[in-house]
């Protein structure tokens, strides 16, 4: 989806690069961060770069913002991945022994290459750095989470679990930690009972977009209960319906419930043609077609699907081999 429009800071806040970097860092470290927080952090970093291009902290924070946007699949483009890499590299050039530059480099490799077959090769370099960073700042939430995700990607169950338990012990980070553990248990370890336990604990800690979605996924994928999925969906914060992941699950639960009118209303509420998240990538009109089909309007369904296919074809034109688009 397109980036949110840039909103300049008030003049009093726009005069200091350190202040801008601090605000970006606060958003980056928000325990329930989502698209809105990361896009706002990106804007702060961009404004700070106009004031101080030689701040290693700026480039490190900005790189982490990019890497997390890739990780959550808010923006998984080649351009965003390259931005994360280049900014981490610039931070390291400016301050090679600094905490934030080293974390940014480890973060880029772990978060923006999580599906890469080369990750195991990078791990030998990244893991010692992350262990060193943990010793330096044992309560730094981003370090703990990135370390945990590296262990998860290497399918090291106990190391992943311990790191996320450590994160859960930090004030305010329990929901994030249990949510990530739930996704790891279900998607990487195949431990569904453990995943359900983590999902329940995550939702009890804070019903934010990712913890709610995890519970919806567990209800649909493990217990096969649309009623449980709806109960979790009812706890979704209103702001999460601005997120493509939240929108997808709201539409999907309505579909499974046979509520064509709700499906169509949700589809029509999306102000963009494309939904982009870790849970669904594709044209929103795909679901409009099924809503019409469910309501017994085959002609309208065919029209929606035809338009949806046209949107996919337009995206395929510059990248004809893109697997996610071919699918």
């Amino acid at each position: 989806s397109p980036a949110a429009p840039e909103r300049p800071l008030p003049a009093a806040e726009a005069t200091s690069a350190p202040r801008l970097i601090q605000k970006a860092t606060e958003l980056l470290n928000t325990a329930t961060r989502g698209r809105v927080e990361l896009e706002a952090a990106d804007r702060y970093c961009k404004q700070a770069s106009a004031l101080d291009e030689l701040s290693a902290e700026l480039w490190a924070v900005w790189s982490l913002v990019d890497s997390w946007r890739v990780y959550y699949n808010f923006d998984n483009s080649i351009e965003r991945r390259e931005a994360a890499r280049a900014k981490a590299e610039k931070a390291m050039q400016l301050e090679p022994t600094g905490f934030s530059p080293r974390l940014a480099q480890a973060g880029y490799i772990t978060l923006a290459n999580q599906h890469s077959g080369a990750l195991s090769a990078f791990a030998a370099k990244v893991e010692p750095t992350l262990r060193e960073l943990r010793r330096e700042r044992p309560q730094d939430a981003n370090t703990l989470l990135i370390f945990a995700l590296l262990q998860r990607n290497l399918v090291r169950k106990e190391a992943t679990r311990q790191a996320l338990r450590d994160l859960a012990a930090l004030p305010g980070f329990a929901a994030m930690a249990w949510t990530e553990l739930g996704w790891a248990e279900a998607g990487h370890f195949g431990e569904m009972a453990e995943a359900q336990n983590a999902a329940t604990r995550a939702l009890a800690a804070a019903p934010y977009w990712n913890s709610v979605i995890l519970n919806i996924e567990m209800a649909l994928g493990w217990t096969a209960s649309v009623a449980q999925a709806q109960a979790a969906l009812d706890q979704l914060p209103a702001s999460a319906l601005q997120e493509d992941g939240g929108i997808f699950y709201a539409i999907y639960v309505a579909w499974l419930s046979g509520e064509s009118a709700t499906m169509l209303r949700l589809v029509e509420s999306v102000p963009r043609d494309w939904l982009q998240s870790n849970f669904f990538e594709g044209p929103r009109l795909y679901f409009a077609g099924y809503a019409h089909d469910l309501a017994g309007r085959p002609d309208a369904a065919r029209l929606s699907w035809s338009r949806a296919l046209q949107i996919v074809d337009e995206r395929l034109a510059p990248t004809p081999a893109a697997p996610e688009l071919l699918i």
Side-chain angles (χ1 to χ4, degrees):
S1 60
E6 295 189 11
R7 294 185 293 276
L9 286 173
E13 294 185 13
T15 56
S16 167
R19 175 60 177 152
L20 290 163
I21 297 166
Q22 179 187 352
K23 291 177 76 66
T25 302
E26 289 169 357
L27 288 166
L28 177 66
N29 292 333
T30 302
T32 56
R33 65 184 167 216
R35 187 189 307 269
V36 171
E37 289 80 8
L38 292 174
E39 288 183 351
D42 180 77
R43 289 193 295 271
Y44 285 135
C45 289
K46 183 176 181 180
Q47 292 175 62
S49 70
L51 300 172
D52 184 359
E53 289 188 339
L54 299 179
S55 167
E57 186 72 14
L58 163 65
W59 296 107
V61 170
W62 205 353
S63 172
L64 281 169
V65 169
D66 285 337
S67 292
W68 283 115
R69 291 176 77 178
V70 171
Y71 174 76
Y72 291 125
N73 207 358
F74 297 152
D75 182 350
N76 198 11
S77 64
I78 294 173
E79 293 78 10
R80 184 64 58 187
R81 289 169 180 269
E82 173 57 21
R85 185 204 63 77
K87 289 167 186 171
E89 183 177 295
K90 186 162 186 174
M92 286 293 291
Q93 289 171 350
L94 290 167
E95 192 179 347
T97 62
F99 182 92
S100 294
R102 287 180 291 149
L103 179 59
Q105 186 175 66
Y108 159 70
I109 292 173
T110 303
L111 302 173
N113 295 277
Q114 59 175 324
H115 302 304
S116 170
L119 179 59
S120 58
F122 289 136
K125 174 183 178 182
V126 174
E127 189 169 10
T129 298
L130 285 169
R131 291 188 183 279
E132 185 177 281
L133 293 170
R134 287 193 66 187
R135 286 192 294 270
E136 292 176 23
R137 298 186 190 177
Q139 294 195 317
D140 183 79
N142 265 306
T143 303
L144 271 171
L145 183 51
I146 292 169
F147 177 79
L149 295 176
L150 177 65
Q151 300 306 308
R152 180 205 68 182
N153 293 347
L154 296 171
V155 198
R156 297 173 180 169
K157 293 183 185 180
E158 292 309 316
T160 303
R161 290 165 177 163
Q162 185 57 58
L164 290 172
R165 283 194 289 265
D166 292 343
L167 179 62
L170 298 183
F173 283 90
M176 174 185 282
W178 292 116
T179 298
E180 290 294 347
L181 183 57
W183 289 121
E185 297 285 9
H188 291 258
F189 307 153
E191 301 284 358
M192 302 308 291
E194 294 291 340
Q196 182 61 68
N197 177 58
T200 300
R201 297 186 72 166
L203 197 60
Y208 82 109
W209 67 274
N210 208 4
S211 65
V212 172
I213 287 174
L214 171 62
N215 276 268
I216 295 171
E217 182 61 30
M218 290 303 302
L220 296 178
W222 192 45
T223 60
S225 171
V226 177
Q228 287 183 22
Q230 184 63 57
L233 182 64
D234 289 342
Q235 298 188 60
L236 195 70
S239 59
L241 288 177
Q242 306 302 312
E243 296 283 355
D244 287 3
I247 292 167
F248 161 70
Y249 273 104
I251 293 170
Y252 190 48
V253 171
W255 186 4
L256 294 175
S257 301
E259 298 176 2
S260 60
T262 300
M263 276 186 75
L264 202 56
R265 175 178 57 79
L266 287 166
V267 170
E268 291 175 348
S269 74
V270 181
R272 51 194 170 274
D273 290 332
W274 197 262
L275 294 175
Q276 176 78 32
S277 75
N278 276 329
F279 315 106
F280 176 81
E281 293 182 47
R284 65 182 177 88
L285 289 176
Y286 170 80
F287 295 108
Y290 276 105
H292 287 303
D293 188 58
L294 190 62
R297 297 187 291 267
D299 290 341
R302 278 192 289 271
L303 180 60
S304 292
W305 286 326
S306 177
R307 290 175 176 170
L309 185 59
Q310 182 180 358
I311 291 167
V312 175
D313 286 339
E314 288 170 357
R315 286 177 171 250
L316 266 171
T319 55
E324 68 279 7
L325 296 175
L326 291 172
I327 289 169

